Amino acid sequence: MKLLLLGGGGREHALAWKLQQSPLVSSLLVAPGNPGIAAIAECVPLEITNPAAVLALAKARGIDLVVVGPEAPLVAGVADALRAAGVDVFGPDAAGARIEGSKAFAKEIMLAAGVPTARYELFTDAAAAAQRALSWGPVVVKADGLAAGKGVVVASSGEEAAEACRALGALPAGQTILLEELLTGPELSVMALCDGSRFVLLAPSQDHKRVFAGDLGPNTGGMGAYAPANFLSDAQLEAIGQSVMAPTLAELERRGCVFRGALYAGLMLTPAGPRVLEFNARLGDPETQVLMMQLDEDLAALLRDCARGELTARPLRQKPGASVGVVLAAEGYPDAPKLGDAITLVEEGADELIFHAGTRREGSILVTSGGRVLTACARGASVAEAKARAVALAGRLTWRGRHFREDIGAKAP
Ligand code: AMP
Ligand code: GLY
């Protein structure tokens, strides 16, 4: 099979690494890729949110399967265009990607499908939301459609919530606001590879969204992850498949949306059971980096079967032990990342991998070109062992002002 992978982050580097191990893959093209990916696959520049441009490249290169990493091409209708032209693609149509782009739509689907989630009220007027917030007391305020956790405020009082509503209302497109029941419990990510109606579950994982150790500081795209999230039993994972993934796919299909791609549920394990906080229509970053290290399957075969609607539902084989990924970020990330600093790389040891994200070649040197620069990953017999190795690896990767969390996976039992 000739594969085309879209994206250029740590998630895509990990996917490329895993896909290259499949005997089914005769060639792997990545657009736009990054310097780490360029060492293991051919990279080409491409405007990946332009459906016509992606389709033209797929046709010109005789591509059998397109794998879409990030959400932007999905929202832009890249998967729709490929599918309409008869090209197999792993990634949902734009209609399915709305489950990530609109919190209101995600809630509507969950309510219709009976998926356990926080109680909520939807407002199309920020002032009305602010008024109502006063009587909720502690509550979560969410702006519809604002990405990366930036539109979410966990308010400890009605006054704080009302203030958050007013602040969001001042933003463009900040009028549609959700007030949501404040839940408690550990958070985890569960991802399903879906063929429209059937799915297989990757190992549960846990992201670390705050920038500093101890879950302090502002939200980020994710500062590190580990898998498996070992506080969840196999039976609990299976139950999440049945209570979350299965009814969501069925509800989407009922609405005419055949979801062929990754369905990511961000969950909170509350005392009353798991509750969905959010859906994404793609794999997580940095979760994918550790999930690929743990997965003991032919990824290309799985994604092809999803794209063709030919998946066999079954438990996936996982490698023993655990993997931890530590994100190394540029100075100033997430507020104002400083770019262009020269990076010192080191050799990876056994069961260690360095995935690139915000890196760029400048002549013979590698420099930072994004907020999240590298993910240092390691596998070990336990989360604690993998954590120690990943943190040590991260410590050997240096540039001016780089920072990372030393506590990724520290809360794993
Ligand atoms: P979201 O963008 O919906 O994933 O929210 C970002 C973060 O806000 C989550 O990772 C949680 O830490 C927190 N959060 C969101 N919804 C709730 C909720 N209902 N109760 C408590 N915390 C929440
Ligand atoms: N790591 C969180 C996400 O990919 O959305």
Side-chain angles (χ1 to χ4, degrees):
M1 275 196 299
K2 292 184 173 175
L3 265 60
L4 169 62
L5 170 64
L6 302 183
R11 167 183 48 211
E12 287 77 24
H13 190 176
L15 290 173
W17 170 78
K18 189 70 181 170
L19 288 168
Q20 282 291 34
Q21 294 165 38
S22 167
L24 296 172
V25 175
S26 57
S27 70
L28 174 62
L29 187 63
V30 186
N34 64 40
I37 298 173
I40 58 170
E42 181 189 351
C43 294
V44 289
L46 180 72
E47 194 193 338
I48 63 169
T49 53
N50 179 338
V54 176
L55 179 59
L57 179 69
K59 288 286 184 196
R61 300 291 292 257
I63 297 297
D64 300 299
L65 174 67
V66 178
V67 177
V68 184
E71 64 273 30
L74 300 171
V75 172
V78 164
D80 307 58
L82 290 164
R83 234 170 244 125
V87 180
D88 285 338
V89 50
F90 180 81
D93 289 344
R98 271 187 77 207
I99 203 158
E100 167 162 2
S102 165
K103 291 184 192 296
F105 179 68
K107 283 291 194 186
E108 185 188 318
I109 295 287
M110 284 191 261
L111 197 67
V115 170
T117 185
R119 281 187 302 111
Y120 73 102
E121 279 181 64
L122 181 67
F123 298 85
T124 51
D125 173 57
Q131 188 58 36
R132 183 75 176 97
L134 291 171
S135 51
W136 267 71
V139 68
V140 181
V141 180
K142 299 188 176 186
D144 196 36
L146 292 180
K150 297 224 169 58
V152 177
V153 177
V154 179
S156 51
S157 72
E159 287 73 28
E160 194 186 330
E163 186 50 46
C165 291
R166 284 190 286 269
L168 288 171
L171 301 173
Q175 292 297 319
T176 301
I177 288 176
L178 284 161
L179 294 181
E180 196 175 280
E181 173 190 6
L182 181 66
L183 301 172
T184 54
E187 284 185 63
L188 75 159
S189 310
V190 175
M191 284 159 237
L193 310 177
C194 312
D195 84 343
S197 50
R198 285 162 301 222
F199 61 90
V200 290
L201 294 174
L202 297 173
S205 56
Q206 194 172 45
D207 189 10
H208 296 64
K209 292 191 178 170
R210 302 300 188 106
V211 69
F212 300 126
D215 294 327
L216 300 174
N219 256 322
T220 70
M223 289 299 290
Y226 70 93
N230 50 2
F231 54 86
L232 196 80
S233 69
D234 288 349
Q236 282 175 305
L237 179 65
E238 168 71 21
I240 287 169
Q242 293 316 313
S243 65
V244 174
M245 305 304 182
T248 300
L249 292 176
E251 178 60 25
L252 287 169
E253 200 171 5
R254 201 183 63 73
R255 293 166 182 240
C257 170
V258 178
F259 192 102
R260 291 184 173 166
L263 183 62
Y264 166 136
L267 297 145
M268 200 167 256
L269 208 54
T270 77
R275 298 283 182 270
V276 175
L277 296 182
E278 63 162 351
F279 279 122
N280 293 319
R282 52 167 177 83
L283 292 169
D285 187 339
E287 292 97 321
T288 301
Q289 288 87 310
V290 288
L291 290 172
M292 290 305 110
M293 288 185 83
Q294 285 301 114
L295 185 66
D296 196 10
E297 296 267 354
D298 182 333
L299 181 67
L302 287 172
L303 301 188
R304 175 202 59 193
D305 291 351
C306 288
R308 293 183 180 170
E310 294 172 353
L311 189 68
T312 304
R314 61 187 171 83
L316 295 180
R317 283 186 304 276
Q318 302 290 342
K319 292 186 184 147
S323 293
V324 171
V326 175
V327 170
L328 292 103
E331 180 178 1
Y333 176 78
D335 298 331
K338 192 174 161 297
L339 311 180
D341 285 311
I343 301 167
T344 308
L345 281 183
V346 296
E347 288 291 313
E348 297 146 329
D351 286 328
E352 293 179 358
L353 285 165
I354 300 163
F355 294 118
H356 289 229
T359 67
R360 185 167 56 80
R361 286 243 170 258
E362 212 167 75
S364 61
I365 60 168
L366 189 70
V367 300
T368 61
S369 68
R372 292 193 292 176
V373 179
L374 299 169
T375 314
C377 298
R379 220 158 66 76
S382 63
V383 175
E385 190 186 309
K387 170 183 175 288
R389 299 176 73 180
V391 168
L393 178 61
R396 299 203 299 275
L397 302 165
T398 55
W399 63 90
R400 193 168 15 157
R402 70 105 170 82
H403 59 103
F404 62 87
R405 282 181 59 165
E406 295 192 10
D407 66 340
I408 304 301
K411 282 192 283 189

